[in-house]
Amino acid sequence: MHIYAETQSGLALKDIIPDSWTWESTDIVELSDHLHIDINVKAILNESVGGAQCNAWFFADNRQEGVAFDKQDYYLGYYDESQDMIHIYRGHHLYAPR
C-alpha cells in the first residue's frame, strides 16, 4: 500500500509519522537484512515508482510461536522522504510447523 498527499495539499507526510517510528536513512535491502525478513524488492520498485529509500520505518512482527500460522504476518512501513510517500509492506512467515 502506498500513501501520499495530493499535490498542492500543503500536507507533508513526515509531519504525521508517529514518534514510535525509527528515523534513519537506509534502503529497503539493508533494512530487510537488518530485520531478517524476505522482501520482494522487485515488486516494491515496480509498485512504488522506484521508491527504495527509507528515512523512517516501523516493523510489526507476528511470527512468534504461539500465533496461529495463518496470522503470522509482518508489516513493514517505511517513509521515502524524496517522494514524500509512505509504503506499507505485508509479508508472511512461510514455514509452517510440522
Side-chain angles (χ1 to χ4, degrees):
M1 176 172 37
H2 313 286
I3 303 164
Y4 57 92
E6 287 190 31
T7 335
Q8 317 250 330
S9 70
L11 174 68
L13 291 183
K14 80 184 288 183
D15 297 334
I16 65 168
I17 293 175
D19 292 337
S20 58
W21 285 38
T22 300
W23 284 86
E24 69 175 312
S25 292
T26 184
D27 67 40
I28 295 309
V29 173
E30 290 174 359
L31 192 55
S32 67
D33 290 344
H34 169 70
L35 295 171
H36 306 288
I37 57 176
D38 291 321
I39 292 181
N40 185 341
V41 177
K42 185 176 179 181
I44 283 182
L45 293 176
N46 290 340
E47 293 292 325
S48 68
V49 196
Q53 293 303 306
C54 173
N55 302 99
W57 58 272
F58 83 88
F59 182 58
D61 189 359
N62 296 315
R63 297 174 297 167
Q64 302 89 347
E65 199 172 324
V67 176
F69 177 69
D70 61 339
K71 305 273 189 223
Q72 289 189 13
D73 295 328
Y74 57 85
Y75 295 88
L76 170 65
Y78 70 97
Y79 172 64
D80 182 346
E81 188 170 18
S82 66
Q83 297 183 30
D84 194 33
M85 192 175 292
I86 296 172
H87 308 281
I88 308 293
Y89 182 88
R90 176 184 175 215
H92 189 77
H93 183 58
L94 297 177
Y95 304 103
R98 293 180 188 246

